Amino acid sequence: MKFGERFLALASVGLAATISMTGCSSEPQQAVLPEDSIVVALGDSLTYGYGTSLETAYPMVLAELSKWRVINAGVNGDTSADVLARVDEIVKKAPDLVLLGVGGNDVLQRLPPDTTRANITATIDTLKSANIDVVLIAEPYFSTSALFGKASDNPLYKDIASAQDVPLYSGGWSAVLSDDTLKSDRIHANQAGYRQFAEGLYEYLQDEGVAQ
C-alpha cells in the first residue's frame, strides 16, 4: 500500500486530525517507505546538482540517508513546462514517491505565474492519476534583491500545495541560497548546500511519516 493509500486509511479511522502537511502522523510507521523504495527527484538544476558533482547532489545524499533508490531526474534549465513534458517518462518508472521541485527558471525567464501554476498543477495531476505520491518542494522567488540578499519562497508553492492537497517542503532552498557559504553561484548550491538541503528534506519526510 502506498503512502497516499495509507493516509486515507488513517483518515477513515479518525486520525486525520493528527496529520497535516507540515506535521506528522501519530502512527507514522504505517506510511514509512521501506529501504529500496523507488523515489524520483524531479526538477531543474537544483535537483540535478549544478555547482557540484552528481554524487554529491541532493538526490544522492537523500539516497544515502534514506536507503531508498533515488533517481535524479533533474535537468539544468528546465522550466515547469519542460518538467510537465517529461512527466509521462516518470510515470513509466512507477516510483513510490516523486519529489517535485521546479519553477525557479520560470521566474528567471519572466514567465506568467499562472502558466507556472498550471504546469505544476498538471504535473501533480498526472502523477496522482497514476497513484504516485508527490511532495512539492518550494523554490525561492528570484527577484533582483533576492539574488544579492535573503531569499524567500515563492508563495505560489503554498497555494498549489493547498489546492492539490499535497505535502509541501518549504524553506529548504531559501535557507541555503541565503547563505553565501552554501552557494556555488547566486542561484545554485555548493556541495555543503546540497547536503544541508537533503538533510532538511529528510528530516521533513521523517516528520511526515514517509521516511524512517
Side-chain angles (χ1 to χ4, degrees):
M1 184 182 291
K2 290 190 174 183
F3 172 57
E5 295 170 335
R6 287 188 289 267
F7 181 92
L8 292 175
L10 288 172
S12 69
V13 295
L15 294 177
T18 66
I19 303 171
S20 71
M21 292 195 336
T22 57
C24 60
S25 167
S26 60
E27 296 185 12
Q29 69 275 10
Q30 295 191 36
V32 168
L33 290 180
E35 293 184 10
D36 292 328
S37 293
I38 299 174
V39 175
V40 172
L42 176 60
D44 50 31
S45 54
L46 289 174
T47 299
Y48 177 82
Y50 185 93
T52 190
S53 66
L54 289 178
E55 291 74 20
T56 53
Y58 105 71
M60 294 303 97
V61 179
L62 181 62
E64 168 196 324
L65 296 170
S66 65
K67 310 306 180 186
W68 296 331
R69 288 185 287 165
V70 182
I71 299 170
N72 187 338
V75 175
N76 293 329
D78 257 16
T79 63
S80 61
D82 295 321
V83 166
L84 176 58
R86 293 195 287 121
V87 71
D88 287 339
E89 300 174 12
I90 303 303
V91 169
K92 292 177 183 178
K93 299 179 186 297
D96 298 290
L97 176 68
V98 168
L99 306 170
L100 177 62
V102 70
N105 288 314
D106 293 50
V107 175
L108 292 173
Q109 295 181 25
R110 299 183 179 180
L111 299 177
D114 285 347
T115 298
T116 304
R117 183 192 309 272
N119 289 335
I120 294 176
T121 297
T123 299
I124 293 172
D125 283 341
T126 300
L127 293 167
K128 289 172 70 175
S129 67
N131 197 32
I132 297 170
D133 295 303
V134 184
V135 171
L136 184 61
I137 296 173
E139 294 192 354
Y141 186 86
F142 290 117
S143 63
T144 301
S145 60
L147 295 177
F148 297 95
K150 183 174 176 59
S152 60
D153 289 352
N154 189 331
L156 178 139
Y157 296 99
K158 185 176 180 180
D159 294 342
I160 295 172
S162 178
Q164 293 298 109
D165 192 26
V166 296
L168 173 67
Y169 178 54
S170 58
W173 286 129
S174 290
V176 169
L177 298 178
S178 294
D179 186 341
D180 287 343
T181 67
L182 300 176
K183 296 160 64 175
S184 62
D185 59 30
R186 292 176 183 172
I187 59 173
H188 296 102
N190 58 22
Q191 181 175 337
Y194 286 115
R195 174 162 287 276
Q196 176 173 303
F197 176 83
E199 290 174 347
L201 176 59
Y202 181 58
E203 290 179 6
Y204 171 79
L205 294 173
Q206 287 179 307
D207 289 342
E208 285 292 298
V210 182
Q212 297 184 26

